[in-house]
Amino acid sequence: MAKEDVIELEGSVIEALPESRFRVALDNGVEILAYESGKMRMHRIKIIVGDRVTVEMSPYDLTKGRINYRHPTPRPDGSRPPPRPRR
């Protein structure tokens, strides 16, 4: 396995911690500590408790990861959110 190889897993955020860190419960039952990726901070994508996320983990430390995608949450009535106003 090369140094650049990453392991991508899905999970849900169970706790928001200080300094943009989150406790994530992965689908395989493991809890890890994850932080928000720089692109998500740059585009101001907010993560709250209960969100489904995709986490990248290094094969060297399987207790920490980086959140690189927040899955959209479907609305109960199936409608789409209103468009954002242009500035």
Side-chain angles (χ1 to χ4, degrees), residues 32-77:
I32 65 166
L33 186 66
Y35 65 92
E36 196 174 9
S37 70
K39 289 273 188 178
M40 293 184 74
R41 287 183 190 177
M42 185 175 72
H43 294 291
R44 295 186 180 102
I45 298 172
K46 300 298 178 194
I47 299 173
I48 59 173
V49 175
D51 281 347
R52 295 283 301 163
V53 294
T54 300
V55 179
E56 287 183 349
M57 297 169 44
S58 167
Y60 298 108
D61 188 4
L62 299 175
T63 62
K64 296 182 177 115
R66 176 177 55 231
I67 299 173
N68 64 352
Y69 186 74
R70 180 180 60 90
H71 297 277
T73 56
R75 291 186 167 202
D77 59 353

